[in-house]
Amino acid sequence: MSTTDKYSIDSTDYEIGQDNIQKWGFDIHNQVFGISAGAIILFLTVLLVMDPTEAKSILDGVKLSIINNFDGLFMWSSNIFLVFSLLLIISPFGKIRLGGDNAKPEHSTISWMAMLFAAGMGIGLMFYGVAEPVAYFTDWYGTPLAVEPLTEEARKLALGATMYHWGIHPWAIYGIVALSLAFFTFNKGLPLSMRSVFYPILGDRTWGWFGHIIDILTVLATLFGLATSLGLGAQQAAGGINHVFGTNGGVNMQIGVIIFVTMLAMISVIRGIDGGVKLLSNVNMLVALALLIFIIIIGFSDVMAAIPLTVMGYIENIIPLSNPHGRPDEGWMHGWTVFYWAWWISWSPFVGMFIARVSKGRTVRQFLISVMLIPTAATALWMSAFGGIAMKQVTNKVGELGENGLQDITMALFNMYDALPMSTALSVISIILIMVFFVTSSDSGSLVIDSITAGGKVDAPVPQRIFWAIVQGSIAAVLLWVGGTEAMQALQAGTVSTALPFTFILLLMCVSLVKGFSTEKYGTIPKSNKAKA
């Protein structure tokens, strides 16, 4: 059967839009938009009227309860997604082309990789590129596998553990979601919405309340995953501004950064993918590449020494780091790995849907290999450069990191720059880069959430896109305000809470994707009645 054959539901007959309302410049799907927006507004209102200390205590309690009780679920689920992706690559399903046998890519490979990389990892690499390896190396909050800190083994494991969190595991999660959405949209003619992926399992119930719940959870997970990244970006950008210009802004400056960047994101979402996200992603990739090259040149010997340590530390420790049982470093695993996996899972609908929108024309095999390996290789080079130089400063007692160690995780990057030539210029460039990564994440997320809450439409009205950009910024700002000096804990609480139910959705997605792929080779899903919202 041709890959262009569809389920019995034709895209022109999909009637989820019949329950849409069109007023005030919006074109929304009642149940998904209404419940999602209502839940977020209620959540923000409750946090704002509560005492910040009490609100933070509740958020922390929820986060710790989930991490302590469901650490194995997050860990094993991530392992399953990775193994499943590898099996798809070597299976006959790898030959299926997204969009049909004659489909052609709509974007160049370079632009494609720039968009998915900027959306998927941008702010995180800037925030954690120095802080994470140094934290593991110096026992800032435990060490991976309880290795002795400040040793050569600790250096190797610090780089390897950092890559474990930023390598093929998260990109397998992103890849599965993106592949599922792209396949059911481009090959089966279904709307670009998370519910569409579950048609092989749910049948016509996909368009009823089962589907509504899936899409609502998708929106909530995406919003809180984005809020975490936007909050981290605001913290780092504000810290950099204080560092470079001698100001002393705290949470108010961080919220000011969020407001400023949200305004830029609103302009970008109005311009759409080609005029907004694609342009910014390409510019960001060039600036990030130039920064990386400059850092490599400055610390060439340290970077060259760190690259093999990163690769070997990753390969040698990926299995013990993936095992959640009997760990001597359970506190470290809970504080870092389990949170990361929850973060990536909550980000997966956003990154996955965005990648799906720009990935038509590539085979399953090409898609998964590219999505998993190319960003992982680029990340390994980035972490080797920034982490390698920073750890060398610690070892040689150079600069702030060498003298006092890791004191403020938001300032780690700028502290490393202080011991390098042209430190002020590097800091200013990095602040700008963080801001642009901030914008690409926000407007990409707005486009994705907008599509979900519009019943799968990809061309919903501009006011709707602006609404979701404002909501994202509002969540990040409120969580920063509630968290105060420990805002990161509040940001993490929202991410972990929404990632828990979404983990089960992703596991079911693997089953549904195989059933969908099987129709390409063995037949079709039985005919059904016209879908109804």
Side-chain angles (χ1 to χ4, degrees):
M1 178 180 179
S2 169
T3 54
T4 57
D5 287 343
K6 300 177 179 180
Y7 292 110
S8 57
I9 299 174
D10 186 85
S11 59
T12 59
D13 289 336
Y14 181 76
E15 298 295 341
I16 192 170
Q18 284 191 345
D19 275 355
N20 282 24
I21 60 173
Q22 300 186 26
K23 56 183 358 180
W24 306 308
F26 281 41
D27 180 8
I28 61 178
H29 184 247
N30 288 356
Q31 295 90 339
V32 176
F33 184 97
I35 295 176
S36 300
I40 291 298
I41 292 172
L42 177 62
F43 173 78
L44 295 179
T45 302
V46 170
L47 287 186
L48 287 172
V49 299
M50 287 182 66
D51 177 73
T53 303
E54 183 181 355
K56 180 181 177 301
S57 176
I58 293 173
L59 289 173
D60 287 347
V62 170
K63 184 191 75 170
L64 291 175
S65 177
I66 292 175
I67 286 178
N68 290 333
N69 291 292
F70 296 97
D71 53 353
L73 173 67
F74 285 120
M75 297 285 287
W76 281 114
S77 295
S78 298
N79 294 336
I80 289 171
F81 299 138
L82 174 58
V83 172
F84 181 66
S85 299
L86 296 175
L87 291 175
L88 287 180
I89 290 173
I90 63 176
S91 75
F93 296 146
K95 299 178 182 179
I96 297 173
R97 186 172 297 276
L98 300 176
D101 294 337
N102 299 319
K104 302 295 183 182
E106 298 174 340
H107 305 279
S108 69
T109 300
I110 293 178
S111 291
W112 179 56
M113 296 306 302
M115 284 189 284
L116 71 90
F117 191 72
M121 294 292 181
I123 292 177
L125 289 182
M126 297 297 297
F127 192 91
Y128 285 111
V130 170
E132 190 169 347
V134 171
Y136 301 165
F137 181 57
T138 60
D139 192 14
W140 182 72
Y141 186 72
T143 59
L145 303 179
V147 68
E148 183 70 24
L150 299 172
T151 62
E152 280 305 304
E153 182 61 25
R155 187 189 309 273
K156 183 177 181 180
L157 194 51
L159 290 167
T162 300
M163 274 310 303
Y164 170 64
H165 292 149
W166 294 85
I168 57 176
H169 273 83
W171 284 101
I173 297 171
Y174 294 163
I176 291 300
V177 176
L179 179 62
S180 301
L181 289 164
F183 174 74
F184 285 99
T185 299
F186 299 136
N187 294 64
K188 299 302 183 183
L190 300 180
L192 185 62
S193 188
M194 194 66 69
R195 71 171 72 203
S196 297
V197 175
F198 296 91
Y199 184 78
I201 294 176
L202 297 176
D204 285 345
R205 289 173 296 177
T206 303
W207 321 125
W209 273 103
F210 282 104
H212 298 342
I213 292 171
I214 290 171
D215 279 350
I216 290 166
L217 288 175
T218 299
V219 171
L220 296 179
T222 302
L223 284 171
F224 281 101
L226 278 167
T228 298
S229 294
L230 301 184
L232 294 179
Q235 285 183 308
Q236 189 176 36
I241 292 170
N242 289 332
H243 185 70
V244 173
F245 299 103
T247 54
N248 193 30
V251 174
N252 289 337
M253 177 177 285
Q254 296 169 15
I255 294 175
V257 169
I258 290 176
I259 293 172
F260 174 71
V261 173
T262 299
M263 293 174 61
L264 296 180
M266 288 162 56
I267 297 173
S268 183
V269 296
I270 292 172
R271 296 176 58 87
I273 287 183
D274 287 332
V277 180
K278 182 177 179 179
L279 175 63
L280 287 174
S281 296
N282 285 335
V283 171
N284 235 25
M285 185 182 70
L286 292 176
V287 176
L289 180 61
L291 176 63
L292 177 61
I293 292 173
F294 186 75
I295 294 297
I296 291 174
I297 292 173
I298 290 176
F300 185 78
S301 60
D302 293 335
V303 176
M304 291 302 103
I307 290 174
L309 286 179
T310 301
V311 174
M312 293 310 299
Y314 184 27
I315 294 173
E316 292 175 3
N317 294 289
I318 188 170
I319 292 179
L321 288 171
S322 300
N323 175 27
H325 306 295
R327 293 281 291 265
D329 58 346
E330 188 177 84
W332 177 89
M333 181 186 76
H334 285 173
W336 290 95
T337 304
V338 177
F339 164 68
Y340 266 128
W341 289 170
W343 192 12
W344 302 147
I345 288 170
S346 68
W347 255 56
S348 63
F350 149 55
V351 180
M353 189 168 293
F354 182 74
I355 295 174
R357 288 183 65 170
V358 299
S359 298
K360 187 176 182 179
R362 305 178 192 277
T363 67
V364 170
R365 185 169 293 120
Q366 292 168 344
F367 176 88
L368 285 176
I369 290 175
S370 297
V371 168
M372 290 173 62
L373 295 186
I374 294 178
T376 297
T379 301
L381 184 59
W382 184 281
M383 294 300 187
S384 296
F386 285 81
I389 292 175
M391 286 191 291
K392 201 68 173 179
Q393 290 180 359
V394 172
T395 301
N396 294 337
K397 307 295 183 183
V398 173
E400 178 69 19
L401 291 177
E403 294 176 4
N404 300 312
L406 185 62
Q407 299 295 315
D408 182 351
I409 196 169
T410 65
M411 293 300 300
L413 176 67
F414 303 106
N415 289 337
M416 184 198 80
Y417 284 158
D418 284 345
L420 300 178
M422 301 175 62
S423 60
T424 301
L426 288 174
S427 295
V428 171
I429 291 172
S430 294
I431 292 170
I432 295 172
L433 198 56
I434 292 164
M435 293 284 201
V436 182
F437 273 133
F438 201 148
V439 174
T440 56
S441 295
S442 180
D443 63 4
S444 301
S446 297
L447 291 170
V448 167
I449 297 169
D450 184 42
S451 177
I452 299 170
T453 55
K457 294 182 176 67
V458 295
D459 56 352
V462 168
Q464 205 160 313
R465 304 178 195 175
I466 294 175
F467 172 80
W468 287 115
I470 294 173
V471 168
Q472 290 173 56
S474 299
I475 295 174
V478 170
L479 288 175
L480 284 173
W481 180 78
V482 169
T485 58
E486 298 181 8
M488 195 179 303
Q489 302 297 322
L491 293 169
Q492 291 178 351
T495 299
V496 171
S497 300
T498 53
L500 178 59
F502 206 75
T503 302
F504 295 100
I505 291 178
L506 295 193
L507 291 170
L508 283 175
M509 182 181 292
C510 296
V511 177
S512 191
L513 183 59
V514 170
K515 290 173 72 68
F517 279 163
S518 297
T519 67
E520 295 289 293
K521 184 177 181 181
Y522 301 111
T524 62
I525 286 180
K527 290 186 178 295
S528 65
N529 296 322
K530 190 176 185 181
K532 298 185 183 297

